[in-house]
């Protein structure tokens, strides 16, 4: 398990700027976790930002969350989906807003990240080890270092292509070789900056290191579960969105199967079942 020494941080950042946690997210989290949380106040906080509210409503009506009929307001979304799901959608939109770039490649990245978060949450209902909300957060954040590095390095897209193709080296080793840092490190630092739980930030740091599934790695069982769910979700979402990026799946599928006490055939059955459900939801939308 990798750890980050505080003295390493400035060297690892290499001039990369980590977006601060948005004030609206801190206010929403504080209100939503109160025993007497007010849905009216929560809706008002979200609706103060028209773009944020529109993004949350759009995501609430997507195949991942839709319950059949469309929601037309934040109040309806809260009533139908509940506080935790709406908070997840808010985090999704804030992350996209803080890291967005106006190009087709990043649109595809955010589509993938949103689906990955939703699929991680669904997988957490099937496989043990973490909650669906924690799984959603990890699915959304685990690759958040990619758009940050995309802004920092004009040639970073080429690095991603190379890292996705290579199966002889860890994904992050390719990034380190070319840029002296990697998206797992940057994502870890951002997760800490945004106040995410240690289980999530540690999993982000190690999510391309499949040796963590070995006994004695030092990473918590929940963090290992999150890494395993993300690999499964990337396989599902990559197939669903036709991204064809299978390098990490080939590296990690055996270790993930062993971690859950399953066979690779069992994993493929889970993949096929969720692909069928996603496709059915898309057709019904």
């Amino acid at each position: 398990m990798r750890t980050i020494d505080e003295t390493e941080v400035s060297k690892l950042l290499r001039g990369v700027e980590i977006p601060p946690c948005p004030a609206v997210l801190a206010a929403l989290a504080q209100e939503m976790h109160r025993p007497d949380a007010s849905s009216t106040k929560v809706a008002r906080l979200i609706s103060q930002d028209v773009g944020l509210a529109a993004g949350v409503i759009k995501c609430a009506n997507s195949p991942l969350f839709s319950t059949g009929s469309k929601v037309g307001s934040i109040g309806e979304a809260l009533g139908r989906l509940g506080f935790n799901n709406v908070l997840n959608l808010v985090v999704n939109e804030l992350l996209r807003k803080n890291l967005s770039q106006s190009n087709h490649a990043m649109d595809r990245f955010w589509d993938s990240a949103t689906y990955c978060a939703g699929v991680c949450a669904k997988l957490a209902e099937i496989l043990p080890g973490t909650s669906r909300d924690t799984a959603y957060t990890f699915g959304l954040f685990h690759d958040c270092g990619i758009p940050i590095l995309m802004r920092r390095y004009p040639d970073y897209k080429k690095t991603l292509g190379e890292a996705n193709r290579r199966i002889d080296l860890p994904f992050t080793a390719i990034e380190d070789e070319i840029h002296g840092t990697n998206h797992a490190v940057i994502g870890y630092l951002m997760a800490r900056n945004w106040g995410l739980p240690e289980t999530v930030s540690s999993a982000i740091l190690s999510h391309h290191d499949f040796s963590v599934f070995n006994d004695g790695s030092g990473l918590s069982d929940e963090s290992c579960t999150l890494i395993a769910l993300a690999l499964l979700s990337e396989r599902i979402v990559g197939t669903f969105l036709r991204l064809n990026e299978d390098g990490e799946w080939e590296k990690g599928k055996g270790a993930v199967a062993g971690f859950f006490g399953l066979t690779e055939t069992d994993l493929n059955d889970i993949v096929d079942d969720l692909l069928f459900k996603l496709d059915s939801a898309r057709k019904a939308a």
Side-chain angles (χ1 to χ4, degrees):
M1 179 189 73
R2 180 168 184 186
T3 58
I4 298 292
D5 190 299
E6 292 301 319
T7 60
E8 290 185 77
V9 171
S10 60
K11 182 174 70 172
L12 291 168
L13 281 172
R14 299 178 66 85
V16 174
E17 293 184 9
I18 304 291
C21 181
V24 65
L25 179 57
L28 281 169
Q30 183 178 15
E31 178 61 29
M32 287 182 170
H33 292 133
R34 288 164 51 94
D36 57 344
S38 164
S39 58
T40 302
K41 184 173 181 180
V42 167
R44 186 169 64 248
L45 281 167
I46 297 172
S47 299
Q48 285 174 354
D49 184 326
V50 175
L52 174 61
V56 169
I57 291 169
K58 179 182 177 181
C59 199
N61 288 321
S62 74
L64 285 169
F65 289 93
S66 177
T67 56
S69 57
K70 302 287 188 181
V71 299
S73 68
I74 295 299
E76 286 181 25
L78 284 165
R80 197 168 301 173
L81 301 178
F83 279 178
N84 286 341
N85 277 329
V86 170
L87 182 58
N88 285 336
L89 299 185
V90 167
V91 173
N92 188 323
E93 286 305 308
L94 288 173
L95 196 62
R96 183 190 296 253
K97 183 177 180 180
N98 276 268
L99 302 180
S100 64
Q101 296 183 70
S102 56
N103 63 59
H104 177 68
M106 292 314 298
D107 288 344
R108 189 175 74 162
F109 171 85
W110 288 116
D111 286 344
S112 177
T114 299
Y115 272 105
C116 188
V119 170
C120 276
K122 291 183 183 297
L123 286 168
E125 298 173 353
I126 301 169
L127 297 165
T130 191
S131 70
R132 68 182 313 280
D133 289 328
T134 301
Y136 184 96
T137 299
F138 181 74
L140 184 63
F141 271 87
H142 75 290
D143 277 340
C144 70
I146 288 177
I148 296 175
L149 289 176
M150 195 81 79
R151 289 194 304 199
R152 175 67 175 81
Y153 298 107
D155 60 343
Y156 183 68
K157 187 177 177 181
K158 290 175 61 177
T159 303
L160 288 179
E162 176 70 9
N164 277 314
R165 282 190 296 272
R166 296 281 293 273
I167 60 172
D168 58 321
L169 288 172
F171 193 104
T172 50
I174 305 296
E175 295 174 287
D176 286 332
E177 182 180 312
I178 298 171
H179 302 294
T181 192
N182 64 72
H183 77 280
V185 165
I186 299 303
Y188 165 79
L189 294 173
M190 181 166 174
R192 289 200 318 177
N193 209 27
W194 282 43
L196 299 189
E198 178 63 26
T199 52
V200 173
S201 58
S202 293
I204 291 172
L205 182 61
S206 299
H207 74 276
H208 285 288
D209 178 8
F210 302 121
S211 70
V212 298
F213 297 115
N214 300 332
D215 291 338
S217 72
L219 198 64
S220 73
D221 285 347
E222 184 173 19
S223 293
C224 289
T225 298
L226 293 172
I227 293 170
L229 295 185
L231 186 69
L232 265 169
S233 73
E234 286 176 347
R235 173 65 169 176
I236 293 164
V237 173
T239 303
F240 181 67
L241 297 179
R242 296 180 174 84
L243 300 179
N244 298 319
E245 295 172 353
D246 293 333
E248 293 303 284
W249 176 251
E250 294 303 320
K251 293 176 193 174
K253 63 182 179 180
V256 167
F259 176 72
F260 285 125
L262 302 172
T263 66
E264 290 186 23
T265 300
D266 294 328
L267 288 188
N268 287 329
D269 287 343
I270 291 172
V271 168
D272 290 343
D273 183 55
L274 282 178
L275 276 171
F276 175 77
K277 290 178 179 177
L278 278 176
D279 193 52
S280 298
R282 179 165 59 182
K283 289 175 181 176

